[in-house]
Amino acid sequence: MDTQSFLSLIELHPGQALVFKYDKGKAVAPGYHVTEIMSVHYQSVDCGGQANAWRETVVQLQGPRAKDKPEYMSTDKFLSIYRRVTAAIPVRPEAELRLEYGDRETPAMHYHIGRIDLEDNAVVVQLVPPGVTCKAADRRAANEGCASPQQAAPIPLEVLPGGCCD
């Protein structure tokens, strides 16, 4: 889900609790903090020699500390934090939104948004773990091939014998 779609959706539910669930229904504990919002630009070259670039917005969540009130952040407070960040740094609305969370039992990772549900005056964001993909194989599966004429010439790489993803 892109950043603007997420923001537009939660703006429709002012004052509601914003709950993040991960790992098959575990909720980030009430009292969590948004510790950082990052505007990230990735540049890579895949195993087929194709250059790639994309942007993500990463929202880092931290569980509550002992002194924190055990209540969920409201959608309004989240939007207020986001607006303060975007006043200081450019964040692209079309960038994919990722949520970074981890605790003592779960390693930190950048989750994708699986879906968003409305439950009892709460906006519940269902997070799903990231996976890996082979961009070269994905292009081939889409009948574009590793170095089709429609794409820029790949950067020469000797990654695997015979070409990409062999």
Side-chain angles (χ1 to χ4, degrees):
M1 170 176 284
D2 69 53
T3 302
Q4 187 58 54
S5 296
F6 177 78
L7 297 172
S8 295
L9 193 143
I10 68 171
E11 283 174 338
L12 295 174
H13 304 283
Q16 293 195 356
L18 186 57
V19 179
F20 295 97
K21 291 189 175 181
Y22 66 102
D23 196 18
K24 300 176 185 163
K26 287 185 193 174
V28 174
Y32 68 82
H33 295 266
V34 172
T35 59
E36 233 178 324
I37 297 179
M38 298 165 257
S39 178
V40 183
H41 181 209
Y42 292 96
Q43 292 180 295
S44 72
V45 175
D46 62 40
C47 65
Q50 180 74 38
N52 301 283
W54 69 96
R55 295 187 178 273
E56 292 180 2
T57 303
V58 180
V59 176
Q60 186 179 68
L61 305 175
Q62 180 185 35
R65 297 166 295 199
K67 65 179 184 155
D68 295 326
K69 292 182 194 174
E71 53 190 47
Y72 286 107
M73 181 179 293
S74 72
T75 54
D76 298 333
K77 183 171 182 179
F78 182 94
L79 290 166
S80 172
I81 293 167
Y82 180 82
R83 288 182 190 117
R84 279 193 315 237
V85 169
T86 59
I89 64 169
V91 179
R92 300 273 180 109
E94 73 280 3
E96 181 181 356
L97 180 65
R98 300 273 204 122
L99 283 292
E100 180 183 71
Y101 178 72
D103 57 24
R104 290 184 180 143
E105 297 153 11
T106 306
M109 66 177 74
H110 291 187
Y111 291 92
H112 294 277
I113 295 176
R115 68 176 199 276
I116 298 176
D117 300 316
L118 302 175
E119 301 174 4
D120 302 322
N121 294 319
V123 175
V124 180
V125 181
Q126 305 287 343
L127 303 177
V128 294
V132 295
T133 185
C134 174
K135 289 179 178 68
D138 293 347
R139 284 192 304 274
R140 187 170 41 223
N143 294 324
E144 291 182 25
C146 288
S148 71
Q150 299 94 345
Q151 299 170 356
I155 297 168
L157 289 179
E158 296 292 333
V159 179
L160 295 171
C164 66
C165 297
D166 286 339

